[in-house]
Amino acid sequence: MDKVLERKIKSIIRNENGLGNERIGSAQIHDKLTAAGVEASASETGEFLLQMEKERLITVVPQVDKEAKEKYGEYLITWVSRNF
């Protein structure tokens, strides 16, 4: 895993989500990475989120509805651990 990209994604999640139940989508995270000049594909962003879920740092919900995918991206973070 690219540690720099991982740190940036975690920073975005902390800043946007805090450590609670606010929701943030993978598309929003990817947009913020792009705006900050970080080169990462949407699939890389999704892979990092899935890895963080495996580590029980976050909970994600895959988006299957077309409208939800357009709004949030492939995944929606619904919970962030206090250990994040």
Side-chain angles (χ1 to χ4, degrees):
M1 237 192 224
D2 180 342
K3 292 295 181 185
V4 173
L5 182 56
E6 180 182 16
R7 268 196 318 271
K8 291 191 181 291
I9 290 172
K10 284 183 173 183
S11 177
I12 291 168
I13 293 169
R14 276 189 210 104
N15 291 337
E16 295 297 316
N17 184 285
L19 298 176
N21 294 313
E22 296 296 320
R23 294 175 178 225
I24 182 172
S26 57
Q28 294 158 315
I29 293 170
H30 185 258
D31 289 348
K32 290 186 181 296
L33 289 170
T34 302
V38 177
E39 291 186 30
S41 68
S43 63
E44 282 179 296
T45 303
E47 288 172 23
F48 275 102
L49 295 179
L50 291 176
Q51 181 60 40
M52 287 182 226
E53 183 176 46
K54 285 180 185 175
E55 296 171 8
R56 299 182 194 269
L57 296 174
I58 61 174
T59 300
V60 298
V61 176
Q63 299 301 299
V64 292
D65 179 82
K66 184 179 177 180
E67 276 186 43
K69 278 187 180 182
E70 288 175 5
K71 184 174 181 179
Y72 299 113
E74 290 293 318
Y75 302 101
L76 179 64
I77 299 171
T78 58
W79 176 81
V80 178
S81 168
R82 290 184 199 176
N83 298 324
F84 193 80

